[in-house]
Amino acid sequence: MKKYLLLPIFIVAIVACKNTQQAKVETEYKSLIKGLASPIRLSPDTTSVRMKDYFLSSYKLDSVLWQGSQIQVSVDGLIKLVSLDSTPLISNLSVYAQGIKHDIPVFKSEKLKYIFTYTSPNIPEMVYLSGSMNGWNRQAGVLAKEGDTWKRTLLLEPGRYQYRIWEGDKEMLDKNNTVTADNGMGGLNNVFVVGSENSEPGTLTTLKASSNKVVFLASKEVQNLIAYFENSLLDIKRISDTCEIFIPESAKNFERSFIRVFADNGQRRSNDLLIPLNRGEVIKSSEQLSRTDMHSSVMYFMMVDRFFDGSKKNNRPTEDKEILPQANNMGGDISGITQKIKSGYFRDLGINTIWVSPISRNAEGAWGLWNKGVNSKFSAYHGYWPTALTSIDDRFGSDSEFKELIQVAHENNMNVILDYVAHHLHNDHPLVKDKPDWFTPLYLPDGTMNTEKWDEHRLTTWFDTFLPTLDFSKPEVVSALTDSAMYWVKNYDLDGFRHDATKHIPNEFWQELTYKVKNESEKKIYQIGETYGNPELIGSYLGSGILDAQFDFNLYDAMVDAFAKDQTGFENLNRVLQQSLYSYGSHHLMGNITGNQDRTRFTSYADGSVKFEEDPKLAGWTRNIENRSDQGFYKMGALQAFLMTVPGIPCVYYGDEIAMPGANDPDNRRMMLFDGLNANQSELKMLTSLLVKARNSSLAFSYGDFRTISCQGKNFVFLRNYFDKTAIVIFSKTKDDAPLELVIPKGLNLDNLNAFNGSSFEANQGKVVITKKSENFKKYGFEILMN
């Protein structure tokens, strides 16, 4: 049992909105925390925080101070923070280790009590609530009967929640609630709202910077402010809406450091600021950034076997008549990727980060079965069925070829991120026979098979009967699998990992892996995960001691709904975008995708080749799906424009730069097309390149503030601003020539604006009018004004 010391309430000097003093200029800054300390997000009652997640292995904890409530500190560095009604929305935790003070932001939970009620016209024995609030896991939403009403008390963040009702084993809409939303699959979900959707938490806006000072605006709603240089508190001087921060002298000692600002209005947090410094001066040009500045990343994901065949010598498709060609190896390899780097393919697109699908040794032979419409088994062409974790599959290439790929990428100013599979092994991996107790049981206590139970048994379910799931409740399993991941860090000059099936692996694994990465690797290793679920579940895997980011599939679903469907407006897209910014931070590193290997190609939904209400896998097996019309290309252009202008890391799925068609797996994994492009493909590829380069050229897109200007019906306008750099991004589904008038917050620089798509406009302080849409604006449905 851990021993805790209960400490009294400590009042820590944090910066509020008045009575502030000019900052003391520190001449020396030291920290035992590697990187920026991520905010501690409190639960409504008690939150446990491992100092091991923040500090390097050599730290020694001296004392802890917090303005919030009570602190419990164990002898092994586990801190428990007790949140009360009086706990501020934003506060600071000061941790003294080896005589050095470290400051960590703390966010109070904003969850609200919501009583869900349901009345049934039937007489069901059991009623369940399944929705976005519980990962669509009905077993986590059992309702209790009180008279004629079924109820459940929920504790939820403010926002919209989609749901459906289960009466026993029958799923249905809630007929008591007429508020519904498109579920993206040709059907509807019910919706309920927690809290207010129209509250104004206030805004922070970068204004100007000098050699030793940063000036920003805090709107009148903002009550509380906290600022940091790296992991040390800074003072803020505020007069009315204008705030000043003096840059510490010690910042000159660092090639790259950051100032961060957090704020709230007493009830809800506002947006935050992230300001990069170079040797103590605010970065003012994108040319000062490098590939290691992950906020400036533009990612490209290719499936190795389906990208480019660089060497015929390693072509070895599985010889089995039960495997149809689209489910077999096609010859793409590591050397093929290297050749495309050398040819300038990625440079021409503006890509500076590539994500490579798994390359470890995979299963031989035919596995699995698709038996709807046609019959086919599968080879392990995709790399997700490992039979070894620390050796390269010869069908993909060799050790020397992978090292060459990384070297050539770095010579071309590109990062390399490797896909790593930790969740499961293939039956043919030796550990399955040698260590059978290292895996979860295939059968549940009730005798049913534990396969594809993604939510009910999230941490133990098998993906298929030949893919046993590792049991990470065992420390020896965590140790072995994290060591296997570290093999790739220690033997190859990687820049990061994409982690498969993140939510199906407990946090203990990710904490141990990140601890090893921080302590055993000199360079920063970017880690991004894959989790389908609500923002709370996704966010539970993010932080200083866990992962840097995850792919934002909720935002992707909203993008598909908004851009692929003519009748859909932008309100839901704006709502989901705002939820992501609030949940993961205004300057998060989440991955924003054009598509991936598990989803129907966006273009094929957009041009109607694949219907939302049909089974997309069946469509891919039984129909020849090709580009049906120009609209698929135009809508993909709009999607690309959105990704390149919102916060996060844009990620282009291979082939989306030319709108490759395809239904779901494996039809969405066709061999990449490089030659013989038609006019639409060439034009979209050029547009994608220009959009990427526009993003790369402006700090407004990598570090800028974000603000929605208007979102009504089929028009959506938002603003990105970084000091004197301004970008106004406009999406419109209307094709008319009516002028579009935009009200822009005063104080922003509107000088020297240029229209990306060539529309005519007039810009005056506080107002921009699109006087005439260009033909490209009408065709692609977007315009970007930027200086």
Side-chain angles (χ1 to χ4, degrees):
M1 179 178 293
K2 295 183 184 296
K3 294 183 178 180
Y4 291 94
L5 172 65
L6 182 63
L7 301 178
I9 297 175
F10 288 93
I11 304 300
V12 181
I14 71 170
V15 181
C17 292
K18 53 186 178 180
N19 300 325
T20 58
Q21 299 178 347
Q22 181 171 317
K24 298 177 181 178
V25 178
E26 300 289 343
T27 57
E28 184 178 9
Y29 169 81
K30 294 181 180 179
S31 179
L32 299 176
I33 296 176
K34 192 172 184 178
L36 297 177
S38 63
I40 297 169
R41 296 176 182 266
L42 300 178
S43 64
D45 40 36
T46 301
T47 304
S48 296
V49 183
R50 299 191 337 160
M51 289 294 97
K52 183 179 178 181
D53 288 344
Y54 287 87
F55 289 89
L56 297 173
S57 59
S58 58
Y59 87 97
K60 179 182 178 183
L61 186 66
D62 299 329
S63 60
V64 181
L65 302 176
W66 180 43
Q67 181 231 29
S69 183
Q70 295 177 331
I71 312 173
Q72 299 171 353
V73 184
S74 72
V75 294
D76 61 355
L78 183 67
I79 295 176
K80 290 192 174 183
L81 304 178
V82 182
S83 181
L84 301 176
D85 290 342
S86 59
T87 302
L89 269 183
I90 56 172
S91 59
N92 181 72
L93 181 74
S94 293
V95 181
Y96 292 82
Q98 296 176 208
I100 303 171
K101 179 173 176 281
H102 305 79
D103 293 310
I104 303 173
V106 181
F107 294 167
K108 182 182 180 180
S109 171
E110 296 178 31
K111 288 185 175 181
L112 302 172
K113 182 186 290 187
Y114 182 86
I115 300 176
F116 179 85
T117 61
Y118 172 73
T119 303
S120 175
N122 309 309
I123 310 177
E125 293 185 4
M126 293 291 294
V127 177
Y128 307 88
L129 171 68
S130 168
S132 56
M133 79 298 298
N134 59 18
W136 298 96
N137 176 13
R138 60 175 170 148
Q139 298 300 329
V142 178
L143 303 185
K145 190 173 184 181
E146 297 182 12
D148 294 332
T149 303
W150 296 82
K151 293 184 177 181
R152 185 176 180 89
T153 300
L154 306 169
L155 203 58
L156 299 171
E157 295 281 353
R160 283 195 165 213
Y161 295 87
Q162 295 192 27
Y163 72 96
R164 290 177 72 89
I165 291 292
W166 288 77
E167 294 189 0
D169 291 328
K170 185 178 180 181
E171 185 182 13
M172 62 189 67
L173 282 172
D174 180 355
K175 300 298 183 181
N176 305 296
N177 181 2
T178 59
V179 182
T180 59
D182 191 325
N183 67 3
M185 297 178 289
L188 296 173
N189 294 326
N190 292 109
V191 175
F192 66 76
V193 178
V194 177
S196 172
E197 291 191 288
N198 300 313
S199 60
E200 176 52 68
T203 56
L204 305 180
T205 306
T206 48
L207 188 60
K208 56 185 177 180
S210 62
S211 60
N212 69 336
K213 186 171 65 175
V214 170
V215 181
F216 65 94
L217 299 177
S219 66
K220 62 182 180 181
E221 297 86 0
V222 171
Q223 295 183 17
N224 304 301
L225 292 159
I226 299 182
Y228 297 83
F229 167 70
E230 290 289 292
N231 301 311
S232 182
L233 275 174
L234 289 175
D235 287 344
I236 301 173
K237 180 180 179 181
R238 180 175 185 178
I239 301 177
S240 186
D241 290 350
T242 304
C243 303
E244 295 181 351
I245 295 174
F246 286 87
I247 301 172
E249 188 72 18
S250 58
K252 294 180 180 180
N253 299 326
F254 299 91
E255 181 177 352
R256 182 71 73 252
S257 57
F258 295 90
I259 287 175
R260 294 182 289 169
V261 184
F262 302 99
D264 71 64
N265 70 348
Q267 296 181 324
R268 195 156 173 80
R269 284 182 286 108
S270 77
N271 66 304
D272 58 73
L273 302 181
L274 179 67
I275 302 169
L277 308 177
N278 182 60
R279 296 297 177 187
E281 293 195 9
V282 171
I283 290 179
K284 296 183 178 179
S285 170
S286 59
E287 294 180 357
Q288 295 175 269
L289 302 177
S290 71
R291 64 178 177 84
T292 59
D293 292 298
M294 291 306 295
H295 285 86
S296 65
S297 294
V298 178
M299 192 184 301
Y300 188 99
F301 168 45
M302 76 286 288
M303 186 161 279
V304 176
D305 179 68
R306 302 301 170 89
F307 191 62
F308 187 68
D309 187 354
S311 173
K312 304 297 182 183
K313 295 179 181 179
N314 55 25
N315 288 3
R316 188 163 53 81
T318 301
E319 299 293 337
D320 194 310
K321 293 181 179 179
E322 290 187 285
I323 304 177
L324 295 180
Q326 60 265 50
N328 210 337
N329 295 74
M330 293 187 180
D333 48 31
I334 293 168
S335 65
I337 299 172
T338 305
Q339 289 173 33
K340 287 301 176 182
I341 298 174
K342 290 179 177 179
S343 74
Y345 187 81
F346 300 107
R347 180 191 63 240
D348 292 344
L349 279 176
I351 301 297
N352 62 8
T353 301
I354 57 172
W355 154 24
V356 179
S357 61
I359 58 172
S360 61
R361 193 167 72 237
N362 262 243
E364 303 281 352
W367 299 88
L369 177 65
W370 175 267
N371 59 1
K372 298 178 183 178
V374 296
N375 292 337
S376 181
K377 291 189 175 182
F378 302 80
S379 75
Y381 68 89
H382 41 68
Y384 292 98
W385 297 345
T387 56
L389 294 175
T390 56
S391 60
I392 295 175
D393 195 302
D394 67 289
R395 290 167 288 189
F396 297 141
S398 65
D399 175 86
S400 61
E401 286 174 327
F402 189 46
K403 288 180 176 177
E404 182 190 12
L405 183 154
I406 296 172
Q407 179 182 342
V408 171
H410 289 171
E411 289 171 353
N412 285 269
N413 296 313
M414 294 172 58
N415 299 308
V416 178
I417 292 176
L418 180 64
D419 207 322
Y420 182 72
V421 181
H423 170 264
H424 58 263
L425 301 176
H426 189 275
N427 265 339
D428 287 345
H429 193 293
L431 277 177
V432 177
K433 292 182 179 179
D434 296 344
K435 300 282 187 179
D437 59 321
W438 278 25
F439 300 89
T440 64
L442 176 58
Y443 289 92
L444 295 167
D446 64 3
T448 60
M449 193 176 288
N450 187 10
T451 55
E452 299 186 1
K453 296 184 182 295
W454 313 123
D455 300 307
E456 302 97 313
H457 298 281
R458 178 167 60 88
L459 299 176
T460 60
T461 195
W462 289 29
F463 285 16
D464 212 323
T465 55
F466 54 88
L467 298 174
T469 293
L470 286 149
D471 185 353
F472 289 102
S473 67
K474 299 178 183 294
E476 61 270 28
V477 176
V478 172
S479 178
L481 269 293
T482 52
D483 283 346
S484 295
M486 288 305 299
Y487 165 85
W488 297 95
V489 174
K490 293 177 178 179
N491 289 275
Y492 303 92
D493 192 16
L494 289 173
D495 303 291
F497 283 121
R498 179 269 185 183
H499 291 298
D500 188 55
T502 301
K503 78 170 186 179
H504 298 291
I505 301 174
N507 267 338
E508 288 76 10
F509 172 85
W510 303 118
Q511 289 173 318
E512 183 64 21
L513 175 58
T514 300
Y515 184 76
K516 289 180 178 180
V517 165
K518 285 185 174 181
N519 285 279
E520 299 176 23
S521 173
E522 292 184 2
K523 67 187 293 186
K524 166 66 180 174
I525 301 295
Y526 170 74
Q527 298 187 89
I528 184 168
E530 176 207 32
T531 292
Y532 290 88
N534 60 34
E536 183 174 8
L537 176 62
I538 293 168
S540 70
Y541 286 89
L542 305 178
S544 287
I546 320 179
L547 304 181
D548 299 292
Q550 298 221 57
F551 289 100
D552 194 345
F553 297 116
N554 294 314
L555 183 62
Y556 177 70
D557 289 340
M559 286 190 291
V560 173
D561 188 54
F563 290 110
K565 299 176 180 177
D566 294 329
Q567 71 277 17
T568 304
F570 291 104
E571 290 88 349
N572 186 59
L573 176 60
N574 178 49
R575 185 163 40 243
V576 175
L577 175 60
Q578 297 290 350
Q579 179 64 60
S580 290
L581 296 174
Y582 192 80
S583 298
Y584 316 127
S586 304
H587 297 86
H588 61 68
L589 291 170
M590 300 285 283
N592 298 327
I593 61 173
T594 62
N596 72 5
Q597 74 277 33
D598 296 323
R599 309 297 287 265
T600 299
R601 291 276 186 177
F602 169 83
T603 299
S604 295
Y605 273 143
D607 69 8
S609 300
V610 178
K611 304 297 182 184
F612 283 96
E613 60 271 19
E614 71 176 316
D615 181 339
K617 286 194 176 185
L618 180 62
W621 283 104
T622 57
R623 296 206 312 267
N624 181 28
I625 294 170
E626 298 297 340
N627 297 114
R628 173 176 287 187
S629 71
D630 296 344
Q631 288 303 308
F633 293 91
Y634 301 157
K635 292 176 180 179
M636 175 60 84
L639 182 80
Q640 299 274 19
F642 183 80
L643 288 183
M644 299 304 162
T645 54
V646 296
I649 296 180
C651 179
V652 178
Y653 182 45
Y654 83 96
D656 280 346
E657 68 271 35
I658 58 171
M660 279 179 58
N664 211 316
D665 168 20
D667 195 42
N668 57 359
R669 306 174 181 184
R670 303 179 190 184
M671 202 69 185
M672 178 61 185
L673 180 65
F674 291 100
D675 301 317
L677 303 184
N678 62 37
N680 276 333
Q681 292 168 329
S682 297
E683 182 178 323
L684 179 62
K685 182 182 174 185
M686 177 58 68
L687 177 67
T688 301
S689 174
L690 292 173
L691 285 166
V692 172
K693 289 172 183 177
R695 178 184 178 86
N696 291 341
S697 70
S698 178
L699 290 168
F701 295 129
S702 49
Y703 291 102
D705 324 318
F706 178 94
R707 189 185 311 183
T708 296
I709 299 301
S710 65
C711 184
Q712 296 178 339
K714 295 189 177 182
N715 291 322
F716 182 22
V717 183
F718 58 81
L719 176 76
R720 303 299 308 275
N721 173 77
Y722 179 83
F723 296 104
D724 62 348
K725 302 295 182 184
T726 302
I728 303 166
V729 185
I730 307 155
F731 293 94
S732 178
K733 293 187 177 184
T734 62
K735 306 297 183 182
D736 58 56
D737 287 316
L740 185 61
E741 186 171 319
L742 311 172
V743 178
I744 306 299
K746 293 182 179 180
L748 301 183
N749 179 23
L750 300 181
D751 295 337
N752 302 314
L753 290 175
N754 292 296
F756 180 91
N757 271 326
S759 297
S760 299
F761 68 94
E762 296 174 356
N764 298 300
Q765 193 64 30
K767 188 169 72 172
V768 170
V769 180
I770 304 293
T771 56
K772 185 178 181 180
K773 295 180 181 178
S774 69
E775 290 305 311
N776 271 351
F777 187 170
K778 294 178 183 178
K779 182 165 67 173
Y780 288 105
F782 75 90
E783 183 60 274
I784 304 170
L785 308 180
M786 55 186 290
N787 53 22

